[in-house]
Amino acid sequence: MRSLLAVIPVVFLALLALLFGVRVVDHAVNRTRHPTRDRPDRAAVATGAMPPVVDLHSDVLLWSRPLLERSARGHVDLPRLREGGFVLQVFSATNSFPLWSNYRRTPAGPDLVSLLALCQRWPAAAWCSPLERAFVQAEALRAGAAQSGGRLVVVERAADLAAIDARAGAVGAILSIEGLHALDGDPGAIDRLFAAGFRVFGLVHMTDTDVAGSAHGWRKGGLTPFGRRVVARIDSLGAIVDLAHASSATIDDVLDAGVARVIVSHGGVDGTCPGNRNLSDGELSRIAAAGGLVGIGFWKGAVCGEDAAAIARAIRYAADAIGADHVALGSDFDGAVKTPFDAAGVSRLVPALAAEGFTDPEIAAIMGGNALRFFAASLPRD
């Protein structure tokens, strides 16, 4: 009964998409408690009054919204990123979300992202192929960057990151993939995704995959033998492994494998918000010991609250556990979640962090400095 009740909202949204279009669904699921309708003065960012901002996870590429135009829907577009003082945003390509079940590997039945691809008139190849859906989203980001006049820059190498002119309002964009359903058993697909510009690889999403067990999965297992080969290949390419949504066993297996570059792009901590995908103290410690970065999410399931104070509490707990240098922002903007503010309003987090006792240098590190340092050290150099 519980699994049936959990599926009802997803089925309802699928019907909305079919009957009224994706815009209705987008408006319904990507909500903001306090939308930012004003346009903050970028002079505050340019003069250093507002620290540069980096966010580790946004799903905006999933939605049929012009990336370069300010929208009344959702959380992210280039104008709002610039208004919020962002210098770098990680753009995720979500490629599979099961319509009927969250609890089995390769679940039978329709896939919600397939339905969105159909409704948004993506190329026919993407209707049935998670890999093609990832490529469609990557191309959407590249097209936006090409039309942006240098305001949006796709970052693939450390040199690309260093070249971003933040004072001129340029925003860097890193591609990530959320869930390796896209491989379909072919390890060579990792190389194709890397060639397409993907630099962050999330092993799982809402179900177990042939690679690893999900925190939402049926068995919650660790890396499969195939998954160990995949993770080794990601590591050898100089790409980053994302443990968001991963089961505890998967987290342990990846860290035991000695992977060089690890993040949790978006999530919470058990210490302030118990949940099956929020990190335990032990997991936090192991990720930090590996030089990893933990992105704290902005939605209720991650922080057990709906305001900036709840986000700041989770950040405070994580910083106390592993040090402020290992904590970053992982909003999950446009990931079918309700957040306290959109990208333009992220400055509201600064006073909430100050109220938790963070110093100005610590706030600057959490808002973006830690992530900039991590990517500068982790992205390929050739």
Side-chain angles (χ1 to χ4, degrees):
M1 176 60 75
R2 182 178 298 175
S3 61
L4 176 62
L5 291 175
V7 138
I8 289 174
V10 179
V11 175
F12 177 69
L13 291 173
L15 291 173
L16 277 181
L18 286 172
L19 294 174
F20 302 107
V22 173
R23 288 191 176 195
V24 173
V25 176
D26 184 5
H27 185 76
V29 299
N30 294 313
R31 295 177 293 153
T32 306
R33 278 192 80 210
H34 303 292
T36 308
R37 295 186 175 88
D38 57 337
R39 296 179 180 241
D41 184 1
R42 276 201 54 84
V45 178
T47 59
M50 170 71 183
V53 179
V54 179
D55 177 58
L56 299 182
H57 193 90
S58 167
D59 292 304
V60 66
L61 299 177
L62 191 60
W63 307 99
S64 55
R65 229 187 287 150
L67 192 58
L68 303 186
E69 300 175 12
R70 200 178 204 283
S71 176
R73 289 182 281 134
H75 306 129
V76 167
D77 46 54
L78 182 58
R80 283 184 283 181
L81 289 172
R82 298 180 79 207
E83 290 160 21
F86 283 71
V87 295
L88 185 65
Q89 174 68 61
V90 179
F91 290 87
S92 175
T94 302
N95 56 88
S96 181
F97 193 108
L99 189 58
W100 301 128
S101 172
N102 288 349
Y103 303 105
R104 296 179 186 275
R105 183 176 295 152
T106 58
D111 181 280
L112 189 57
V113 182
S114 177
L115 181 61
L116 288 175
L118 175 63
C119 292
Q120 294 180 126
R121 298 186 177 89
W122 289 5
W127 299 354
C128 298
S129 168
L131 180 61
E132 291 301 323
R133 292 172 212 152
F135 289 145
V136 167
Q137 291 173 75
E139 181 54 34
L141 179 63
R142 291 194 176 280
Q147 297 165 15
S148 73
R151 294 173 300 153
L152 184 66
V153 180
V154 177
V155 172
E156 297 182 2
R157 301 169 182 82
D160 300 332
L161 182 60
I164 293 171
D165 188 354
R167 288 186 176 272
V171 179
I174 292 178
L175 268 169
S176 80
I177 187 163
E178 186 166 39
L180 292 184
H181 317 79
L183 301 187
D184 195 24
D186 177 15
I190 290 291
D191 292 73
R192 292 182 62 192
L193 289 163
F194 188 84
F198 287 89
R199 292 296 180 265
V200 179
F201 289 78
L203 305 182
V204 292
H205 191 202
M206 298 301 292
T207 61
D208 297 336
T209 67
D210 291 336
V211 171
S214 166
H216 319 270
W218 181 35
R219 297 190 184 278
K220 296 180 173 58
L223 287 176
T224 66
F226 173 67
R228 293 181 187 278
R229 292 167 53 204
V230 166
V231 166
R233 183 56 183 160
I234 294 170
D235 202 37
S236 71
L237 288 170
I240 297 160
V241 174
D242 183 3
L243 294 174
H245 292 281
S247 68
S248 293
T250 294
I251 292 173
D252 284 341
D253 285 350
V254 169
L255 296 175
D256 287 345
V259 171
R261 295 155 295 272
V262 175
I263 64 170
V264 176
S265 62
H266 60 302
V269 291
D270 265 338
T272 65
C273 188
N276 69 332
R277 63 161 291 200
N278 291 343
L279 298 170
S280 68
D281 288 3
E283 288 164 345
L284 285 170
S285 295
R286 291 204 68 194
I287 291 163
L293 202 58
V294 174
I296 299 298
F298 291 3
W299 75 101
K300 187 175 182 179
V303 297
C304 287
E306 296 186 315
D307 57 13
I311 302 168
R313 280 195 299 273
I315 291 173
R316 176 80 267 174
Y317 186 93
D320 286 345
I322 57 176
D325 288 347
H326 291 284
V327 186
L329 308 184
S331 66
D332 202 19
F333 279 149
D334 290 309
V337 295
K338 183 180 181 181
T339 61
F341 37 75
D342 58 12
V346 74
S347 61
R348 295 174 183 172
L349 190 51
V350 172
L353 290 171
E356 287 290 339
F358 287 106
T359 65
D360 287 348
E362 288 173 332
I363 291 171
I366 292 162
M367 294 295 290
N370 292 337
L372 286 174
R373 185 185 67 251
F374 177 86
F375 285 119
S378 300
L379 288 169
R381 299 195 173 276
D382 53 17

